[in-house]
């Protein structure tokens, strides 16, 4: 660790090249490359069964790749820097008879943090996360969402340089999702690198500095959120003042009727010529907006274009 505040770096916190993992006759991960800048929030996106969990576990050294290399915080052997990493696995698990504070301190102790320091930090972090009332509660008495937040605090109590979260938003209600987003941003502001997997686009769009999209065990995209959204043309939502059966013939061929108006891709030559024709024909303009597609739309396009064979379910890759 680097003390209370990580040293922000332009170096790469995680580098994976050509990672491959096979289970049975199927390549669950098939040549994945990832480069995660230090001090960034980096998302690994993909549908269920895409290979996200297996990729994260190979990078952390929990399982070994069949081919490829990875470097974690400058180390060729990920376990050599284990005390500088915080990890929230997809499968949650805490000792039900422990208090929440002791559970957080225990997870810190596993990463080399002094027990009393861990208990002090646990109480402070739980209060900051809105869980002050649960500090002395047994884990078995906490709701699923509260227990998940406690486990997350346990992953960061030793103030790691790298925080790896596997589907961290799964099962959380909207309030706890907001708390988790705030915690991720706070870790990034502290100087830590945050790497998380998800199949929920809203979180990635709000949080990620960069992201990778994995489908069928292969990396299909790597870049910023804006670069992903830029893969799709802008969309026009047009609402006429008047309408009849001939209006559709004047719009682009791919135009789709909406509850109100029509939606179609922004023509390459722009919208002005089309609007001039529509006004001249008497249809007019009641409403008009030009919208950029969201990350969800880009994700659907990228994943839909993937041609790799279906992967075995991620639950079959547990180690």
């Amino acid at each position: 660790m680097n003390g209370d505040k990580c040293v922000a770096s332009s170096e790469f916190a995680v580098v994976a090249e050509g990672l491959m993992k096979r289970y049975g006759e199927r390549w669950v991960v098939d040549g994945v490359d990832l480069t995660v800048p230090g001090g960034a929030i980096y998302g690994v996106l993909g549908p269920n069964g895409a290979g996200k969990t297996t990729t994260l576990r190979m990078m952390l050294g929990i399982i070994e790749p069949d081919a490829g290399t990875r470097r974690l915080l400058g180390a060729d052997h990920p376990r050599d820097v284990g005390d500088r990493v915080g990890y929230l696995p997809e499968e949650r698990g805490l000792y039900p008879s422990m208090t929440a504070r002791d559970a957080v301190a225990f997870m810190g102790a596993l990463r080399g943090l002094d027990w009393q320091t861990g208990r002090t930090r646990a109480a402070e972090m739980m209060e900051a996360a809105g869980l002050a009332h649960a500090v002395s509660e047994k884990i078995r008495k906490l709701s699923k969402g509260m227990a998940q937040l406690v486990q997350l605090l346990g992953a960061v109590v030793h103030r790691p340089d790298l925080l790896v979260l596997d589907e961290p938003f799964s099962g959380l209600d909207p309030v706890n999702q907001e708390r988790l987003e705030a915690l991720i941003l706070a870790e990034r502001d502290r100087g830590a690198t945050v790497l998380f997997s998800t199949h929920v686009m809203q979180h990635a769009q709000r949080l990620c500095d960069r992201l990778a999209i994995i489908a069928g065990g292969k990396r299909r995209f790597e870049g910023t959120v804006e670069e992903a959204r830029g893969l799709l043309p802008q969309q026009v939502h047009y609402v006429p003042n008047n309408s009849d059966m001939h209006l559709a013939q004047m719009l682009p061929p791919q135009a789709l009727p909406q509850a109100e108006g029509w939606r179609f891709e922004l023509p390459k030559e722009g919208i002005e010529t089309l609007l001039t024709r529509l006004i001249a024909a008497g249809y007019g303009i009641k409403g008009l907006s030009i919208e950029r597609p969201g990350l969800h739309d880009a994700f659907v396009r990228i994943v839909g274009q993937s041609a790799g064979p279906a992967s075995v379910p991620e639950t079959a890759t547990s180690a």
Side-chain angles (χ1 to χ4, degrees):
M1 287 190 300
N2 294 315
D4 289 352
K5 183 175 178 64
C6 298
V7 177
S9 172
S10 60
E11 296 296 321
F12 296 120
V14 180
V15 178
E17 297 180 345
L19 286 183
M20 302 183 72
K21 189 66 180 179
R22 182 171 66 185
Y23 287 92
E25 297 301 316
R26 297 185 181 182
W27 289 101
V28 179
V29 177
D30 190 5
V32 166
D33 299 331
L34 292 177
T35 305
V36 181
I41 298 176
Y42 192 102
V44 179
L45 282 55
N48 291 330
K52 304 186 300 296
T53 292
T54 304
T55 297
L56 294 184
R57 288 176 175 174
M58 285 192 288
M59 289 192 294
L60 289 169
I62 297 172
I63 58 177
E64 290 299 311
D66 292 323
T69 61
R70 75 275 202 227
R71 290 179 61 82
L72 208 66
L73 299 173
D76 291 325
H77 303 289
R79 297 199 178 198
D80 290 346
V81 292
D83 287 354
R84 297 172 59 196
V85 178
Y87 176 47
L88 180 71
E90 186 177 20
E91 300 85 8
R92 317 294 188 228
L94 295 168
Y95 290 107
S97 60
M98 274 188 172
T99 65
R101 175 169 53 193
D102 285 351
V104 173
F106 174 72
M107 292 179 66
L110 294 177
R111 300 289 186 178
L113 184 66
D114 173 75
W115 175 257
Q116 286 305 125
T117 301
R119 295 187 85 245
T120 300
R121 287 185 185 176
E124 294 170 351
M125 294 168 67
M126 290 185 68
E127 181 176 2
L131 298 175
H133 63 285
V135 167
S136 299
E137 288 285 348
K138 301 283 189 181
I139 294 297
R140 67 165 63 94
K141 294 185 178 181
L142 301 182
S143 68
K144 179 180 178 181
M146 291 171 63
Q148 187 164 325
L149 282 179
V150 167
Q151 187 164 356
L152 176 64
L153 294 177
V156 301
V157 67
H158 62 297
R159 296 175 181 165
D161 295 332
L162 173 65
L163 179 60
V164 180
L165 311 173
D166 194 359
E167 295 285 357
F169 297 98
S170 177
L172 292 181
D173 60 50
V175 172
N176 283 324
Q177 287 183 23
E178 283 193 11
R179 288 173 174 167
L180 175 52
E181 285 195 6
L183 191 148
I184 288 174
L185 290 170
E187 285 297 295
R188 193 268 308 276
D189 292 344
R190 183 176 64 83
T193 304
V194 182
L195 172 63
F196 74 93
S197 71
T198 186
H199 61 274
V200 181
M201 297 303 105
Q202 296 94 318
H203 303 300
Q205 183 163 325
R206 285 194 293 267
L207 292 172
C208 289
D209 299 306
R210 295 187 70 82
L211 56 87
I213 295 177
I214 295 177
K218 295 181 179 291
R219 195 195 74 185
R220 308 292 177 175
F221 172 83
E222 201 282 337
T224 65
V225 172
E226 296 308 308
E227 288 169 346
R229 295 174 68 186
L231 295 174
L232 298 180
Q234 293 177 299
Q235 297 286 312
V236 177
H237 183 210
Y238 164 64
V239 182
N241 276 322
N242 304 296
S243 183
D244 60 30
M245 60 184 299
H246 302 295
L247 173 58
Q249 299 173 13
M250 298 192 64
L251 299 175
Q254 81 280 10
L256 296 174
Q258 304 288 296
E260 184 180 18
W262 295 77
R263 184 175 295 275
F264 51 88
E265 291 183 1
L266 180 68
K268 292 182 179 180
E269 67 275 12
I271 195 67
E272 292 80 6
T273 300
L274 176 59
L275 293 179
T276 299
R277 295 202 305 266
L278 291 169
I279 293 171
Y283 294 112
I285 304 172
K286 182 179 179 181
L288 179 71
S289 62
I290 299 177
E291 305 164 359
R292 299 189 61 210
L295 181 59
H296 173 82
D297 300 309
F299 175 84
V300 170
R301 174 73 64 88
I302 292 167
V303 171
Q305 291 175 341
S306 65
S311 301
V312 296
E314 297 251 337
T315 52
T317 70
S318 300

